Amino acid sequence: MADARGFLKHGREGTHYRPIERRLQDWKCVQEDFPRERTAQQAARCMDCGIPFCNEGCPLGNIIPDFNDLVYRGKWEDALLRLHSTNNFPEFTGMVCPAPCEQACVLGINQDPVSIKQVEWEIVRRGFEEGWVKPVLPERRSGRSVAVVGSGPAGLAAAQQLGRAGHTVTLFEKNDRIGGLLRYGIPDFKMEKWVIDRRLEQLRGEGVILQPGVHVGVDYTVADLRKNFDAIVLALGAEHPRDLEVPGRALPGVHFAMDFLVQQNRRVAGDELPGEGILATGRHVVVLGGGDTGSDCIGTAHRQGAASVTSLELLPRPPEGRHESEPWPLPMKYHFHRSSSHAEGGERRYALATRELQGAQGRVAKLLGATVEFDRDRLQRPLPATLREKPGGAFELRADLVLLAMGFLGPVQEGPVRELGVALDARGNVRADTRSFASSEPGVFACGDCRRGQSLVVWAQWEGRECARAVDEYLMGASRLQSRNAFA
């Protein structure tokens, strides 16, 4: 145990952010680092509970009490080894994960939970600074080859694990740079891309073959994929966005959120875009959807110099803190969340539905909507199927740019999904269980959002690791890769 009285001596110190007036002037990361002594102080708050619910709250099964204790004792390299034993890329989760581990922290029952996410980031940050993060080579090569299609967090985790198991791994990415959602979906102000690039150097050193700019099904046929590899892992993500079916949807100035975010990430990377592209500069921006993608649009619009930013959410405003439907130690999905982008300004409005978009001078100019209400279940959760407009609840909103951030419906089915002939589940995802991760086609596996649907980076990494273990077992008859299959 770190410090038996640490939680009594020290209060929680969460993530610090750069001042708003400064960070809105650039695209640098908003998150600030902790000094080592303050990190050790926060780690000392961990009580090393007899039953570490934080460990169960983390999809990856991070051994949180152990690395907290090691940080407190100054054994940072050992802490990094412990963290890497369950998490291939703790820098990703340390920056963008919503930290279900903290929501499960026992200390959180009657105090503020341990700052687990920040401690995790500080461990891996020091690991890179000290040169402790190095390629991990397998003891022997298996002579088997695996193609991983898609280079988001699931694909990266699967590729690294399979490479360490001794297989020859080729990672295909249709975009010009490796990283998938991490590269083009998450803005630089949440995670700068050098964070990805330095990890890619480790993968190259481990022998993983990276193939950006190769669109499987277009540049490289599925038939060749079948012929040249012993196993195929689909880690395609869930890129099919939910659309808005209202009059005026086709007006110029109405865009999917991901198109908006990808363009800005390319600008930050130094790419030249044809024409002006999608810009919020000087416009009254309306973001439809209140999740992480919507939050990213808000922060991006502010940095581009929007005249105003308004976020509309269909559901009522959720409560602050725990809702009775999600008692401790369950992760809080239905709760009010205020991101760093929300803190930068703009207006958030709830229980509103869009009914029509109207244009002027050849582009969208106005949003017409209505206030809605819902029946509630016995735990006071809104029932979406009971949505109805409130009498007298019509409203108008100026809207020069409308961004659709209403979630995703599953993987794009054109290309590898269709050509490989894999079966889909009722939601349109690739059908595979969480034991074998095997699709309906022999030798083809699926993991991440293309299998489970739109989800978190931490779940994608778990799926990639577990899928790699299943593929290794398929190829070799047994696997020595670590398993954390507590969620089957």
Side-chain angles (χ1 to χ4, degrees):
M1 176 172 192
D3 181 348
R5 300 179 64 81
F7 68 97
L8 297 174
K9 296 177 185 176
H10 312 295
R12 173 185 168 94
E13 189 173 358
T15 300
H16 290 203
Y17 298 96
R18 294 193 293 133
I20 291 173
E21 64 274 10
R22 292 184 187 175
R23 70 193 198 220
L24 286 180
Q25 303 305 311
D26 59 42
W27 298 94
K28 300 295 185 183
C29 183
V30 301
Q31 181 175 318
E32 291 187 324
D33 302 327
F34 271 12
R36 290 171 189 171
E37 61 273 12
R38 232 160 62 207
T39 305
Q41 187 182 79
Q42 289 302 302
R45 298 185 70 236
C46 178
M47 300 184 293
D48 194 12
C49 308
I51 300 177
F53 286 91
C54 58
N55 175 256
E56 292 302 311
C58 174
L60 286 164
N62 287 339
I63 311 168
I64 294 161
D66 284 17
F67 69 62
N68 277 325
D69 178 67
L70 291 165
V71 166
Y72 172 71
R73 298 180 188 282
K75 298 181 178 180
W76 286 80
E77 189 171 5
D78 290 339
L80 181 66
L81 288 171
R82 193 61 52 90
L83 181 54
H84 270 151
S85 71
T86 56
N87 188 341
N88 294 68
F89 315 117
E91 62 272 32
F92 302 161
T93 50
M95 300 197 88
V96 301
C97 182
C101 55
E102 294 185 12
Q103 297 171 25
C105 175
V106 173
L107 188 57
I109 296 174
N110 58 2
Q111 289 191 34
D112 292 327
V114 176
S115 303
I116 299 167
K117 177 180 171 182
Q118 188 69 31
V119 172
E120 182 177 310
W121 164 252
E122 297 302 332
I123 292 171
V124 71
R125 181 170 73 89
R126 182 168 182 188
F128 275 102
E129 287 178 355
E130 300 286 352
W132 297 332
V133 181
K134 299 176 181 177
V136 179
L137 300 175
E139 294 180 3
R140 64 184 70 87
R141 289 292 176 182
S142 68
R144 302 298 182 91
S145 60
V146 184
V148 179
V149 185
S151 69
L156 288 171
Q160 185 165 66
Q161 291 293 97
L162 285 164
R164 290 176 176 180
H167 308 303
T168 300
V169 181
T170 302
L171 182 62
F172 293 97
E173 169 57 52
K174 65 182 179 183
N175 288 308
D176 57 342
R177 298 180 180 93
I178 298 291
L181 174 72
L182 298 168
R183 175 75 63 180
Y184 288 123
I186 296 175
D188 285 68
F189 60 78
K190 282 178 65 175
M191 188 176 72
E192 294 180 49
K193 305 318 173 196
W194 56 262
V195 175
I196 305 170
D197 294 336
R198 66 184 183 183
R199 194 58 87 163
L200 297 182
E201 286 304 308
Q202 183 192 32
L203 264 70
R204 290 188 184 96
E206 293 175 356
V208 175
I209 302 166
L210 305 180
Q211 293 288 342
V214 178
H215 192 170
V216 172
V218 178
D219 306 308
Y220 192 90
T221 69
V222 168
D224 285 338
L225 201 68
R226 277 290 203 183
K227 182 176 74 172
N228 296 329
F229 294 93
D230 298 308
I232 300 166
V233 174
L234 298 179
L236 303 165
E239 295 186 329
H240 183 195
R242 181 177 283 108
D243 209 342
L244 179 69
E245 297 181 0
V246 299
R249 164 62 181 92
L251 284 167
V254 184
H255 303 276
F256 288 118
M258 200 54 64
D259 295 336
F260 174 65
L261 295 175
V262 168
Q263 283 195 9
Q264 183 54 47
N265 280 12
R266 288 190 175 280
R267 289 189 190 96
V268 175
D271 294 351
E272 291 188 11
L273 302 180
E276 178 186 88
I278 308 169
L279 284 172
T281 310
R283 301 193 189 281
H284 296 274
V285 179
V286 177
V287 180
L288 302 184
D292 288 338
T293 303
S295 168
D296 293 345
C297 288
I298 292 169
T300 301
H302 284 315
R303 283 162 178 77
Q304 289 184 356
S308 69
V309 182
T310 305
S311 172
L312 304 185
E313 302 189 34
L314 185 63
L315 292 173
R317 187 184 191 277
E320 298 195 32
R322 285 200 175 273
H323 190 263
E324 62 179 309
S325 65
E326 297 170 342
W328 177 88
L330 295 177
M332 294 186 293
K333 300 177 182 177
Y334 181 59
H335 71 290
F336 179 74
H337 173 63
R338 189 169 186 255
S339 71
S340 62
S341 293
H342 293 133
E344 292 166 358
E347 183 183 7
R348 299 175 75 181
R349 299 173 63 180
Y350 296 86
L352 300 174
T354 302
R355 291 292 173 248
E356 184 179 354
L357 299 171
Q358 293 184 351
Q361 298 179 344
R363 65 175 293 119
V364 68
K366 185 187 298 184
L367 182 148
L368 307 182
T371 305
V372 297
E373 58 186 357
F374 304 82
D375 292 338
R376 304 233 175 197
D377 64 14
R378 61 183 183 83
L379 294 177
Q380 292 303 302
R381 294 172 296 192
L383 297 169
T386 66
L387 180 150
R388 58 188 176 275
E389 293 186 13
K390 291 181 69 173
F395 71 93
E396 293 185 3
L397 190 63
R398 185 172 177 182
D400 306 320
L401 176 63
V402 177
L403 301 173
L404 309 182
M406 303 181 298
F408 299 85
L409 300 176
V412 174
Q413 294 181 17
E414 292 76 14
V417 171
R418 182 164 295 163
E419 291 182 38
L420 284 166
V422 294
L424 306 178
D425 64 18
R427 296 186 299 158
N429 301 317
V430 179
R431 192 178 71 202
D433 62 38
T434 54
R435 286 289 181 189
S436 69
F437 288 86
S439 76
S440 59
E441 293 297 309
V444 180
F445 300 79
C447 62
D449 288 4
C450 75
R451 191 208 66 83
R452 71 180 292 118
Q454 178 189 0
S455 191
L456 306 174
V457 167
V458 66
W459 273 113
Q461 284 192 215
W462 174 80
E463 294 232 350
R465 287 174 61 90
E466 290 297 323
C467 182
R469 179 203 51 77
V471 172
D472 187 36
E473 187 174 321
Y474 166 79
L475 293 173
M476 307 302 292
S479 177
R480 291 187 295 175
L481 291 174
Q482 182 184 14
S483 176
R484 160 67 175 177
N485 215 322
F487 302 94

